Amino acid sequence: MLEAFFIALSFTFISEIADKTQLVILGLVLKYKAALQVFLGALIAHSFMDGIAILLGYFFGFQVQSNLIKIIIGIAFILLGVYGITKIYFKKAKKQERKIEVRTPFIVAFLTVMLSEFGDKTQISSGLLSAKYLLPWHILAGTFLALAFVIGLNVFIGAKIAKKIPAKKIKVATSVLFILFGIISLFS
């Protein structure tokens, strides 16, 4: 029983430490400077998507064709990145500073991570582990703990960086990260 937990924990940790979703989360932390909201949104979305895969793996034997999904997600993120860059350099002369609501970073992180995790290797591997071990709660617990640690580390580092970099550079970096995420999605 504990074997399934520790395999899910270690596999998820290793596969997420340099995953493209972590780049997206880093970009969100840099953009919003709301570490807790981004952390919670990302963790809940990640856990939700992996939880679905674990249930599907447990009940049906997980097998999904995800090439079309990867292409759609890749193009969507490239377009979001290009839009972000054009918005920075081609915006009209407005001096008004818009404030972001406290809940917005949570919602953006939740939806972005949910979209980026659809058909991701961690989601697929969680489903496969659940199908193999038939211990969905153990797999979910191991996956959740690894995600909490990796996302927490990412958000902590991102929050430290966000305090030292000007807002315009952060917006450009976030847009570039979205474009890179899109390209990685298309070619992975």
Side-chain angles (χ1 to χ4, degrees):
M1 280 196 218
L2 285 179
E3 178 186 2
F5 169 81
F6 285 113
I7 287 176
L9 176 78
S10 57
F11 191 82
T12 302
F13 179 80
I14 291 167
S15 65
E16 280 297 317
I17 200 76
D19 189 62
K20 60 187 178 262
T21 306
Q22 297 307 317
L23 292 174
V24 171
I25 294 168
L26 178 61
L28 292 172
V29 170
L30 293 174
K31 180 177 182 177
Y32 289 109
K33 297 182 182 179
L36 182 61
Q37 290 89 356
V38 172
F39 171 78
L40 291 173
L43 182 60
I44 291 169
H46 230 307
S47 300
F48 177 73
M49 294 304 287
D50 288 336
I52 290 171
I54 289 166
L55 286 175
L56 289 173
Y58 179 70
F59 289 113
F60 302 111
F62 195 79
Q63 184 177 19
V64 171
Q65 295 289 332
S66 61
N67 289 337
L68 180 61
I69 294 168
K70 285 181 182 179
I71 291 170
I72 292 169
I73 291 170
I75 290 170
F77 274 96
I78 290 171
L79 292 174
L80 286 171
V82 169
Y83 172 74
I85 289 175
T86 56
K87 188 175 157 187
I88 293 166
Y89 290 106
F90 297 109
K91 69 180 181 180
K92 295 178 183 176
K94 283 186 182 178
K95 290 290 179 180
Q96 279 184 303
E97 184 82 20
R98 285 190 242 160
K99 293 215 173 194
I100 298 169
E101 291 182 31
V102 174
R103 292 178 299 188
T104 302
F106 172 84
I107 294 166
V108 171
F110 179 84
L111 293 174
T112 304
V113 170
M114 199 165 86
L115 174 68
S116 68
E117 277 304 299
F118 196 77
D120 187 69
K121 67 180 181 287
T122 306
Q123 186 186 30
I124 292 169
S125 65
S126 298
L128 291 172
L129 287 173
S130 183
K132 178 180 179 181
Y133 287 100
L134 299 175
L135 295 167
W137 292 111
H138 293 79
I139 302 298
L140 182 63
T143 301
F144 180 82
L145 188 60
L147 290 171
F149 186 69
V150 172
I151 294 169
L153 203 68
N154 189 4
V155 166
F156 174 76
I157 292 168
K160 295 292 183 192
I161 292 169
K163 291 179 183 177
K164 299 178 184 192
I165 298 175
K168 187 174 182 177
K169 288 185 180 182
I170 288 173
K171 289 178 183 178
V172 171
T174 302
S175 296
V176 169
L177 285 173
F178 271 73
I179 292 169
L180 285 174
F181 174 75
I183 292 169
I184 290 168
S185 292
L186 287 174
F187 295 106
S188 64

